[in-house]
Amino acid sequence: MDLLNTLVDKGLRRVSPTREEALAVLASSDEDLLDVVAAAGKVRRHWFGRRVKLNYLVNLKSGLCPEDCSYCSQRLGSKAEILKYTWLGPGQAPAAAAAGVAGGAKRVCLVASGRGPTDRDVDRVSDTIRAIKEQDGAVEVCACLGLLSDGQAERLRAAGADAYNHNLNTSEATYGDITTTHTYADRVDTVNKAHAAGLSACSGLIAGMGESDVDLVDVVFALRDLDPDSVPVNFLIPMEGTPLAKEWHLTPQRCLRILAMTRFVCPDAEVRIAGGREVHLRTMQPLALHLANSIFLGDYLTSEGQAGHADLEMIADAGFEVEGAAEVTLPEHRAGARGGGCGSPTGADGGTGGCGSHAGGGVCAPAPAARAEEPRTDLVAVRRRGAGTDLAPNA
C-alpha cells in the first residue's frame, strides 16, 4: 500500500497528490476500498477529529430559473413536478432557518434559483441574513444566489453573511455539455468575488453526470486552486423531467472513492457530503463520514433527504459527534487567515443559484468494469414540505 501511505503523508503535510495518484484512487478496486477509506480517514481525523458539521438548506425561491443547467430540476424547460414559488414572505425564511438550527445545524444556506441576484434581491436577502443573525448570533449564514455582479458580495458580507456558495460542478472541458447559458469562467469569477469580499468561499462538484475520472480529477484540482474553505460533493439526483433523468452511473463504492480522492486533494478543507447521498451511498452513508466532515441535514432544495433524526442517529452510531456552535470548523491556519489554502506552503508535487447545493497492494491496478447501477427512482422524492409549504420542515 505504498500509494496510500504516500497520500496520507502528503495529506498530513498539506502537499498535493499528483494527478496520477488522484486517478489511481478512483481506479482502485472494491477489494481495496476499505484500505482507501481508512487512509483518507486518517487525513480527515488529523484536521477535523471526529466532528461532523451540520448544514441546513432554505430554498428562498424555487423553480422558474432562466438557466439551462442539465442536472437541475429548476432549470429552464424543466418538466419536473417540483415546488415552484417566488420569494418567501417576510419571516418565513428566518423561521425555516430556526427549524434547521433547532435540529442541530450550525450553518444555514440561503439559496435562490436564477442566473444571479438583482440589487433588490441582494437587499431582500440581506434583510433575511440580519433577521437570522438577530435570532441566533452564533449561526453561520451562507448565501447561494448565482452569479454575482461587482459589489454584491461586499453587500452580503456587510449584512452579516459568513460564506458564499457557487459550485464549479464539473471540469472546464465538459462544462459546455451541461450548461450553455453561462460559462465555467463565470462561475470561477463569482468564487473569486466572494473571496475578495472576505466571504468564506464554498464551491464543489456534482458527480454522476457521465463524466470521466479525468473530469473528476480536473474539477477537484481546479477547486483546490480556487482555495474554497468548503467543498460540497453532490451526487446527481436524476430527477424525472430533466435531461439527465436517465443518468444512473454511480455505485456506493464509486461515491466513496470520489470522496476519498477529494479528501486527499483538499485535505484541510471542509468536505461536505451534499445532495444525493441517500440515493447513491444508501446504507454506506456512515462509512462516508470517515471521509467527509460535513453533511446537509434533512431535505435539499427540491428533493427530500432522510429524516433529520436519522441523520443524527447515523452520526452517533458511527462514532462521530455533531460539531457545536462554539467550535471552529476549520484548522487554525485556515480559520485564522485567508490564503493558507488546502495546498502545501512549499508547493505541490498541482440556473445557477439553486445548484448548491463527484503504489502497491493492488491499489494502482485497473479497476474491474463498473457495474451498471440500476435506477433507484424509489429513492428520489420531490420535496413537499418545509419552505414554500404549510408543512413542517424536515430537520
Side-chain angles (χ1 to χ4, degrees):
M1 293 296 177
D2 290 343
L3 171 65
L4 295 179
N5 290 334
T6 296
L7 290 172
V8 171
D9 176 67
K10 288 184 175 183
L12 301 187
R13 294 187 293 116
R14 292 190 292 135
V15 172
S16 175
T18 65
R19 290 177 182 271
E20 291 73 20
E21 289 167 340
L23 285 167
V25 173
L26 295 179
S28 59
S29 70
D30 287 352
E31 290 182 358
D32 292 314
L33 182 60
L34 289 180
D35 292 329
V36 172
V37 171
K42 291 179 182 179
V43 179
R44 179 253 201 264
R45 289 191 301 277
H46 177 80
W47 296 111
F48 299 96
R50 302 192 71 83
R51 294 174 284 118
V52 178
K53 182 176 182 177
L54 299 182
N55 309 267
Y56 190 71
L57 286 166
V58 177
N59 198 353
L60 300 175
K61 181 166 69 79
S62 183
L64 312 173
C65 183
E67 302 299 286
D68 68 353
C69 307
S70 299
Y71 50 80
C72 185
S73 59
Q74 305 185 78
R75 72 188 296 272
L76 178 69
S78 170
K79 294 180 173 57
E81 297 180 357
I82 62 169
L83 289 170
K84 296 183 177 69
Y85 51 85
T86 56
W87 292 93
L88 295 178
Q92 289 181 297
V101 173
K106 180 175 179 176
R107 171 174 288 189
V108 172
C109 304
L110 303 176
V111 188
S113 62
R115 178 178 178 85
T118 65
D119 286 341
R120 182 181 178 186
D121 294 337
V122 172
D123 289 339
R124 188 195 314 265
V125 176
S126 294
D127 288 342
T128 299
I129 293 169
R130 282 188 282 265
I132 292 172
K133 290 287 189 175
E134 288 173 4
Q135 288 178 169
D136 186 341
V139 67
E140 297 176 7
V141 178
C142 177
C144 177
L145 312 174
L147 301 172
L148 292 174
S149 301
D150 290 344
Q152 291 183 328
E154 286 79 4
R155 291 169 59 194
L156 292 168
R157 183 76 181 100
D162 300 283
Y164 195 84
N165 166 261
H166 201 63
N167 296 330
L168 295 187
N169 291 327
T170 192
S171 69
E172 183 174 12
T174 59
Y175 195 82
D177 295 335
I178 64 166
T179 303
T180 66
T181 47
H182 61 271
T183 67
Y184 179 90
D186 291 331
R187 288 188 169 270
V188 170
D189 178 66
T190 287
V191 177
N192 285 332
K193 280 184 168 68
H195 265 314
L199 291 165
S200 175
C202 173
S203 188
L205 65 142
I206 304 174
M209 297 190 291
E211 70 283 335
S212 68
D213 285 2
V214 171
D215 290 321
L216 286 170
V217 169
D218 282 351
V219 69
V220 174
F221 271 78
L223 288 166
R224 180 190 175 88
D225 291 342
L226 280 178
D227 188 29
D229 289 324
S230 304
V231 180
V233 179
N234 295 275
F235 302 108
L236 177 71
I237 303 175
M239 297 279 281
E240 289 298 325
T242 66
L244 299 184
K246 306 303 180 186
E247 298 289 328
W248 290 85
H249 302 293
L250 297 172
T251 64
Q253 293 82 5
R254 179 158 175 79
C255 293
L256 290 171
R257 283 190 284 268
I258 291 168
L259 287 168
M261 184 269 290
T262 304
R263 173 57 70 198
F264 285 130
V265 177
C266 294
D268 61 337
E270 175 191 339
V271 175
R272 183 181 309 153
I273 315 171
R277 63 180 165 92
E278 300 90 344
V279 178
H280 298 293
L281 279 164
R282 300 192 288 276
T283 58
M284 296 183 77
Q285 290 181 70
L287 203 55
L289 295 177
H290 291 271
L291 307 170
N293 63 294
S294 179
I295 66 170
F296 277 110
L297 172 74
D299 294 334
Y300 303 101
L301 298 174
T302 63
S303 63
E304 293 184 353
Q306 72 183 19
H309 69 82
D311 288 335
L312 299 178
E313 290 175 355
M314 175 182 72
I315 291 168
D317 288 348
F320 292 88
E321 59 186 26
V322 173
E323 185 173 286
E327 295 180 279
V328 177
T329 301
L330 297 172
E332 184 177 355
H333 62 273
R334 288 189 71 88
R338 288 296 326 138
C342 55
S344 166
T346 57
D349 287 343
T352 62
C355 300
S357 1
H358 242 277
V363 175
C364 289
R371 297 188 300 273
E373 176 73 335
E374 289 297 323
R376 288 297 306 272
T377 55
D378 59 306
L379 296 177
V380 180
V382 174
R383 181 174 68 84
R384 302 294 185 198
R385 59 195 175 193
T389 77
D390 295 327
L391 299 178
N394 174 26

